[in-house]
Each structure stands twice: as C-alpha cells, then as structure tokens.
Amino acid sequence: MSFSFYIGREALKLWKRICRETAIEINLLADKWKYILGGLIFQYIHGLAARGVHYIHRPGPTLHDVGFFLLPELGQAKGYISETVFTILFLSFVLWTSHPFIFKIKKIYTVLIWCRVLAFLAACQFLRIITFYSTQLPGPNYHCREGSKLATLPPPNSVLEVLLINFPRGVLYGCGDLIFSSHMIFSLVFVRTYHKYGTQRFIKLCAWLAVIAQSFLIVASRKHYTVDVVVAWYTVNLVVFFIDKKLPELPDRISAALFLPVSKDSKTKEENHKLLNGNSGDPAE
C-alpha cells in the first residue's frame, strides 16, 4: 500500500513538473517562434537544394582518395553502420534537449537551445549549398556510380515533383551534394552544443568518440570522399565558434524571468517567478 502511494505521489510530482516546464517553454516559443520557424524552413531549403543538384549530377570514375586507400571498404550491405551511429547521436541529442520537462535539475531551456542549434545548422548548410553547387564531383556511393539507375534523375514533370523532395527516398539516395558532409554538420553541431551545455563528462567523451568513429565509417562506407569529412570538421567548428560569439549567451534558470511577459498584477509576477525557478510552492517538491 505504501509503495503504491509512493509511486502515485512521484507520478503526480512528475506531471506537475511537466506542466510547469511546458508553460515556461510555451512562453519562450511565443517570443522566439520566428527563429524556430526560420530554422525549420531552411532545413527544407537545404533538402530542396540537395534534391536539385541530383538533377545535374553526372556519374563518373570514382576519384582517387587516400581514405579509400587506407580504410577497408565496408560494402553496400554494411552501409547501415554509419547511419546507426548518426541516428544514435541524433536521437540522444533530441532526448537531452527534452530533459527539462522530466528532470528537476536542469540547465537549459529547450526552445532557446534549439534556436541556437538551428542557427548553427543554417549557417553551415548555407555554405554547403554554395560548395556543392560550385563543383559537382562524381559520387562515390554505390547508387551514384556509373551504371546505377539512381545516379541521375530524369527531368521533372512538374514543379511539385521537385518541391516534394520524395522523402525519404530522395534523402537516402541523393547524389552530387558531396562537399561537405551533411551528417557531419548535424553530428558536430549536436556534440559541440552538448559539450558546452551538458553536464556529464563521460557522455561528452563518448559523444566525441562517436563522431570520430562516424567520420571513418562514412568514408569506409564510400558515402563521401575523405575531403567531405575533413572540410566538415574545420568548417563546422569554425562556424559554430564565430556564431556562438555573436549570439547572446543562454540565461541560467534563475535569471530567465526576462524571457516571460510580466503581468501588471503582482500575484502573476510572483507566480511567473516561481515557475522560472522551478518552484511550484508545493511542499512535496
């Protein structure tokens, strides 16, 4: 009986915490929605650009690459390994940015961290679009090589055919968008962000090791040339470094009262202040 009471009490506390955090994030989203929407729209633009360059991709002999010479080829059947590492990094970061809704001790605001991340991604992807449209290299991936039906796309029958991108097939089987690796953009932005705002040193170490492993796996899977990975490493890190200097620093959970609209009613002010400090006034918390 006491155990059931304990579970019920903890579940109630968790539900209250989720509700409080949701109220805070909704207020932040109401203020920052333009940045979130702009970042998401640019994700679509980036996908559209990658789709467009596939139409002008022309397969040819695979270029000489030192990474191909040094790393054994995994083969087409094992191409999922690098995708698995990327998926783990991606989902882990999404879960981490959602942790303020669950845990009592929290350092970040979900909306503000994603504003920052989307700014980093958009800047890196803008440079990527310019780069892969400047010079189209023959894709080293198996479906991009000479003889593959997927290496080139027939002229589109309508504008809608281009705009829909054909997700996920158009993303998984794209060709021509090589320099530099999109997977490395996402992974490096996520890991750098957690390295700055995360709290677990062991997880930081594991994250960096996973990105390094992914770099080798991408080349071993022949999804990119070595130059695509190398350019991503220094470009993404430099872009994030300089943009991070320009952006306002994220507030801590105590001083974030500036981000909520202040009511003229003193009681509402006090309630907002309690919400931002994670204090509901409930003695059970």
Side-chain angles (χ1 to χ4, degrees):
M1 187 68 179
S2 58
F3 179 75
S4 300
F5 175 77
Y6 174 78
I7 295 296
R9 187 182 65 177
E10 292 301 313
L12 180 60
K13 289 165 61 177
L14 177 60
W15 174 248
K16 289 182 178 180
R17 192 175 304 136
I18 292 174
C19 292
R20 288 197 307 272
E21 195 67 27
T22 301
I24 294 172
E25 295 292 346
I26 288 175
N27 279 280
L28 291 173
L29 184 60
D31 184 45
K32 305 293 183 181
W33 68 270
K34 294 180 181 178
Y35 302 105
I36 297 291
L37 181 61
L40 293 176
I41 289 175
F42 199 86
Q43 297 308 300
Y44 171 73
I45 294 174
H46 173 255
L48 195 63
R51 173 73 169 176
V53 80
H54 195 171
Y55 284 103
I56 59 178
H57 173 259
R58 294 295 177 265
T62 303
L63 303 178
H64 175 73
D65 189 283
V66 66
F68 293 176
F69 177 75
L70 296 175
L71 295 174
E73 187 172 352
L74 289 178
Q76 194 170 4
K78 296 182 179 179
Y80 68 91
I81 298 177
S82 64
E83 293 296 330
T84 301
V85 174
F86 174 75
T87 302
I88 292 173
L89 284 170
F90 188 92
L91 294 179
S92 298
F93 184 79
V94 171
L95 289 174
W96 172 70
T97 58
S98 303
H99 84 272
F101 291 91
I102 306 298
F103 294 100
K104 187 175 181 180
I105 300 176
K106 40 218 166 191
K107 184 179 179 182
I108 64 168
Y109 291 94
T110 302
V111 169
L112 297 184
I113 205 75
W114 275 105
C115 283
R116 213 173 190 86
V117 166
L118 288 170
F120 297 152
L121 291 176
C124 292
Q125 289 166 339
F126 176 75
L127 294 176
R128 181 174 189 258
I129 292 171
I130 294 175
T131 307
F132 66 62
Y133 267 104
S134 299
T135 303
Q136 289 82 50
L137 304 179
N141 211 335
Y142 302 100
H143 63 269
C144 298
R145 298 177 184 179
E146 290 180 301
S148 172
K149 295 180 179 179
L150 299 173
T152 57
L153 290 178
N157 297 318
S158 65
V159 176
L160 188 62
E161 183 180 333
V162 179
L163 295 178
L164 291 178
I165 303 180
N166 191 19
F167 183 85
R169 185 181 180 86
V171 176
L172 297 177
Y173 294 100
C175 298
D177 56 327
L178 291 175
I179 300 176
F180 40 97
S181 170
S182 179
H183 282 57
M184 292 302 300
I185 291 177
F186 279 91
S187 298
L188 286 169
V189 167
F190 290 166
V191 172
R192 279 189 62 96
T193 302
Y194 182 79
H195 184 85
K196 182 174 182 179
Y197 297 106
T199 56
Q200 302 298 319
R201 294 181 63 183
F202 177 73
I203 296 179
K204 293 179 184 180
L205 175 61
C206 290
W208 281 112
L209 291 176
V211 176
I212 294 172
Q214 180 183 268
S215 303
F216 288 105
L217 288 170
I218 287 174
V219 177
S221 301
R222 304 304 188 251
K223 295 180 178 179
H224 278 279
Y225 293 108
T226 305
V227 65
D228 305 339
V229 175
V230 172
V231 171
W233 267 96
Y234 63 74
T235 303
V236 176
N237 279 296
L238 286 173
V239 168
V240 173
F241 174 79
F242 285 109
I243 292 182
D244 194 51
K245 294 287 185 181
K246 298 295 183 180
L247 294 176
E249 188 51 73
L250 290 183
D252 56 41
R253 299 305 304 260
I254 296 175
S255 62
L258 298 173
F259 286 82
L260 277 183
V262 179
S263 171
K264 294 180 180 180
D265 181 56
S266 59
K267 184 177 180 181
T268 306
K269 289 181 182 180
E270 183 180 353
E271 290 175 353
N272 284 341
H273 183 71
K274 288 182 177 180
L275 283 173
L276 286 165
N277 287 280
N279 181 13
S280 65
D282 185 358
E285 284 288 295

